[in-house]
Amino acid sequence: MSTFTSASNPTGGTTDGTAATSHGTSNGSTTGTKTDGKNGTMNATTMDATTRRPRLSGMTWLVWRQHRAAFWTILAAAALSIAWMVYQRGRMMDFLDGYGFPAKPLSDVDGGFQQYIDAFSSVAMGLGSIPILLGVFLGAPLLAGDLESGTAKLVAAQSVSRTRWLATKLGLTGLVVVVSTVALSAVFGWWWSPVKAEPTVMDWTSTEGFNNTGPVPVALTLLSVFGGVAIGVVLRRTLMAMVVTFGFTVIVQLVWSSCVLSLGNVITITTNKGVMAENSYPSLPSNAYEIDSSYITSTGDLLGWSTCSGSGSDAARELCLKKADVVGWSVEYLPMSQMNAMQWFGASVLFALTAGVVAFLFFWGRKRLV
């Protein structure tokens, strides 16, 4: 009792009080130092580990782990493709600098530049197949595999809702697709930019140029992948879903390619100086895509360019055109300056279709994820 009293009394000066105070201070200091030091070290280590190495957790970790092979393959393939394009651009720029471009036009270059045109074609072909490949091998099995193997029933029995599971699956997959396609599109456009205005290299309205730059490859790939996911949810069989998705992505590519020219505002230019004289054909902007050309009469009627083509001589043809009241040309074309606006307009349509597919998956497909 005296010891407790002395220890509790801050002014106690007896021997027992001093000893008790010393004993209490010693124990308190020793215990406090060890505990505080240990906890402080552990907290600091934990905070450093959390700060330096953030890790996925929960459903995000589960989805990443389940599909990590596909995700890492996509990202690694994109990185290798980017490295190859950077290397090819460096070689091309060395050639162009040595040749004297742009002071000297590429139309006068010999066959030495053909290897770089071939490189464009091969890479563009590979990039153009990405929506089909990812739709078939990533989108179709994404949920069809879980439905076929019974994993979806196991997930439905857990505390995590099917909506959250579906959102995590689609969100993480979409993130990987967007990151890889945006990087590929940007680097391919950067590679093409020095010779973009040269029609001898690559036509800007072609699938190689139009579909592999800007937002178009991102939009096409997302629609193909999420379309494949929806097909997998409906069919619930992986192999069958992959086959149907292949047909779906091919049809998407064909329909899209046939609609590209309709995305722009067609410009019409006319002349009234005849069609036989030198320089009578209208001058179009550099690298403009000519859609159609016709003869135009004084009344504004259009005639096919094959009119009077059966005349035996130039004089007979000129007389025939004069009788047909042909006064000049009418040419429809798309300038290259519209390319960016056409890409964003088309991509917005594809994004809207993709949003519709995602809405279908959430409001109808999630009911079948068991």
Side-chain angles (χ1 to χ4, degrees), residues 167-212:
T168 306
K169 279 252 189 180
L170 297 181
L172 200 55
T173 302
L175 179 62
V176 172
V177 169
V178 169
V179 169
S180 56
T181 51
V182 165
L184 289 170
S185 172
V187 175
F188 185 79
W190 173 67
W191 177 20
W192 183 30
S193 59
V195 292
K196 189 174 182 178
E198 296 291 331
T200 56
V201 177
M202 190 164 56
D203 185 5
W204 66 271
T205 60
S206 65
T207 56
E208 291 83 359
F210 195 88
N211 291 353
N212 292 326

Side-chain angles (χ1 to χ4, degrees), residues 21 28 39 67 113 132 165 201 226 233 270 293 314-315 360:
T21 302
N39 290 341
H67 302 286
F113 194 73
I132 298 176
W165 176 56
V201 177
F226 289 146
V233 170
T270 60
S293 62
D314 289 344
F360 165 80

Side-chain angles (χ1 to χ4, degrees), residues 335-358:
M336 190 176 182
S337 58
Q338 292 189 17
M339 180 179 179
N340 190 51
M342 290 170 61
Q343 287 180 318
W344 278 105
F345 176 65
S348 64
V349 175
L350 296 176
F351 284 136
L353 293 175
T354 303
V357 173
V358 173

Side-chain angles (χ1 to χ4, degrees), residues 29-44:
S29 300
T30 303
T31 305
T33 302
K34 290 182 179 180
T35 305
D36 293 341
K38 182 178 180 181
N39 290 341
T41 303
M42 291 179 63
N43 290 338

